[in-house]
Amino acid sequence: MLKHSLIAMAALGLITVSANADKVVDINAKVADTARIDKEDLGNKKVVTEEMLGLRKTTLFDENVKPAKGKFDSKAPGVANRFQRAYVNAPPMIPHSTEGLLPITKDNNQCLGCHMPEAAKSVGATPIPASHFTDYRPTTVYKNGELVKEGKVVGMKGDLGNTSDIILAKSKKLDKLYAGRFNCSQCHAPQADVDVAVANTFQPDGLTGDLKSHSNLVDVMNQGVK
């Protein structure tokens, strides 16, 4: 009941930014610990035992291996710390409980109550970025018996031999959430509290400042294309 009450209050603007709103937690720090990485680096070992091989970390003759059981017991919306992104513009993990919020349907998307830009600031939520209010798909119509994309006829006798010949479609800024971004859980997922099998040596480039918790994808979408 508490979680649902917080969601309703946030949607109505009855709660303000929590003390955790500005705190961003690096959930990868523990698994990227240099001591653990050195310990698991088999290339520097003189002897590699069966227990070191693979992801099971047990003898190859032991078939009584159970999968790790994750806990999804995150705090309620409005009081949970945000998670640092895995890399620049990575879809952020959901840091709070999703109890009662999923599945998202065309008639019920409770994420919008807190994360729409006009509501996010007052409740300390991460606002939906500008890229989600932009349509990047090429304008496609069927006209006079011909397929027309971005104003060009597609076909052997047309302006484009193939639909993939369009290098860059004209982006269209919308005054509402783009339908292709409506299903939040298609890219965003809750984080389970579980021990990972191996250390993580991945180091993201440029993940500093606001980029740890915000997106600038709309500004760099066409890098390398134009």
Side-chain angles (χ1 to χ4, degrees), residues 17-70:
V17 179
S18 70
N20 295 322
D22 296 326
K23 185 175 182 180
V24 181
V25 178
D26 182 4
I27 56 177
N28 189 53
K30 184 177 180 181
V31 72
D33 178 66
T34 53
R36 177 175 179 178
I37 292 174
D38 291 341
K39 182 179 179 180
E40 296 181 7
D41 184 4
L42 301 185
N44 294 324
K45 304 292 182 185
K46 292 182 178 180
V47 177
V48 178
T49 66
E50 292 175 351
E51 287 78 11
M52 294 179 182
L53 294 173
L55 302 178
R56 304 196 305 178
K57 303 306 177 186
T58 185
T59 172
L60 299 178
F61 297 100
D62 180 9
E63 295 301 329
N64 297 316
V65 179
K66 295 181 180 180
K69 187 175 181 180

Side-chain angles (χ1 to χ4, degrees), residues 72-147:
F72 291 90
D73 55 356
S74 302
K75 295 181 180 179
V79 295
N81 292 321
R82 288 178 295 171
F83 294 149
Q84 178 175 301
R85 298 185 184 223
Y87 51 88
V88 175
N89 288 319
M93 303 295 293
I94 302 173
H96 57 71
S97 170
T98 57
E99 182 183 347
L101 303 180
L102 301 178
I104 292 172
T105 69
K106 67 183 182 65
D107 298 318
N108 183 22
N109 186 344
Q110 297 188 53
C111 305
L112 305 184
C114 291
H115 292 281
M116 286 295 280
E118 59 268 24
K121 186 175 181 180
S122 63
V123 298
T126 299
I128 298 173
S131 60
H132 288 34
F133 294 88
T134 306
D135 182 0
Y136 294 100
R137 290 180 180 273
T139 300
T140 306
V141 296
Y142 192 68
K143 184 178 180 181
N144 299 327
E146 295 177 313
L147 183 65

Side-chain angles (χ1 to χ4, degrees), residues 1-12 15 76-79 114 123:
M1 290 299 293
L2 174 60
K3 294 174 182 176
H4 298 159
S5 298
L6 281 169
I7 295 166
M9 292 173 69
L12 294 172
I15 61 174
V79 295
C114 291
V123 298

